[in-house]
Amino acid sequence: MTGPRAPGGPRAPGGPRAPGARTGWGAVRPWLVRTGIAAATVAAYFLLPLDHLGPQRPVLSWVLFTVLLTAVAVLLLRQVRHVLVDRPDSHPGVVISLLIVLSVHVFSAAYYSLAKQPGEFSGLRTRIDALYFTVVTLATVGYGDITPRGQAARVVTVLQITYSFVFLTAAATALTTRMRDMVVRRTDRGGRGGR
């Protein structure tokens, strides 16, 4: 028979688990949910009727684009705030990753819809092309095989670059800070436990 967990130390074998610790299905389920959300985002991008947006419904297209980007920006800033105030019950690594996936698909949908207007893009015809162009722009690679030609396409491209620079960089910086702090805390606990 073993004793309970010592304060600040590891749990003794056979002792009670730390509050909130998940095991078995409880540990796997959150990852399945998050993977399902990411997969649903990708599936929605390929299945939603984006052909009905763009030049046929310009006002609706711009409103949807603005609302979705604003929502993602607000959620990203909320995650940054959670990191800055060191909120223990938040999971910024997972949430920020999902929000980045969502923002990439929002821009991809915008590019795909804009490409329906003649003269806006050169080389962009399919949803894969739009997704590829979004990732290439995000990575600042710029192969030149797809180029924004029209004013609206250039505005959205500049917006994506600015959006990535401001919101995604802030989120990545906050996430890096959180991870560094977690490593420092674990190192400190390990150093104290060995004394």
Side-chain angles (χ1 to χ4, degrees):
M1 197 154 113
T2 58
R5 179 180 178 194
R11 182 179 69 86
R17 297 200 178 278
R22 294 180 176 163
T23 60
W25 176 248
V28 173
R29 198 173 114 224
W31 287 103
L32 288 176
V33 169
R34 293 166 185 145
T35 303
I37 292 170
T41 301
V42 174
Y45 171 71
F46 285 102
L47 297 175
L48 286 173
L50 299 177
D51 294 324
H52 299 298
L53 297 174
Q56 291 134 350
R57 294 188 176 97
V59 173
L60 176 62
S61 300
W62 286 108
V63 167
L64 280 173
F65 179 66
T66 304
V67 166
L68 287 171
L69 273 189
T70 302
V72 171
V74 167
L75 292 171
L76 280 169
L77 290 175
R78 184 175 177 210
Q79 291 303 309
V80 169
R81 183 176 162 269
H82 287 173
V83 170
L84 293 176
V85 299
D86 200 22
R87 187 170 169 179
D89 62 337
S90 66
H91 302 285
V94 176
V95 177
I96 287 172
S97 300
L98 290 173
L99 291 171
I100 290 171
V101 168
L102 182 58
S103 69
V104 163
H105 285 86
V106 168
F107 278 107
S108 297
Y111 292 136
Y112 179 73
S113 298
L114 277 172
K116 299 297 178 192
Q117 179 73 33
E120 286 295 330
F121 274 98
S122 171
L124 197 155
R125 289 178 286 287
T126 66
R127 293 179 198 226
I128 294 289
D129 290 342
L131 186 58
Y132 163 79
F133 179 72
T134 305
V135 172
V136 165
T137 302
L138 179 64
T140 66
V141 176
Y143 293 118
D145 52 344
I146 298 175
T147 52
R149 299 266 185 218
Q151 296 304 299
R154 289 179 177 180
V155 165
V156 174
T157 304
V158 168
L159 183 60
Q160 183 193 350
I161 293 166
T162 306
Y163 191 88
S164 299
F165 183 71
V166 173
F167 295 106
L168 300 186
T169 301
T173 302
L175 189 57
T176 303
T177 302
R178 173 80 170 245
M179 291 171 70
R180 187 187 67 231
D181 290 347
M182 287 173 62
V183 169
V184 167
R185 284 183 201 147
R186 286 185 181 161
T187 304
D188 287 347
R189 278 190 221 141
R192 275 186 257 136
R195 289 179 189 163

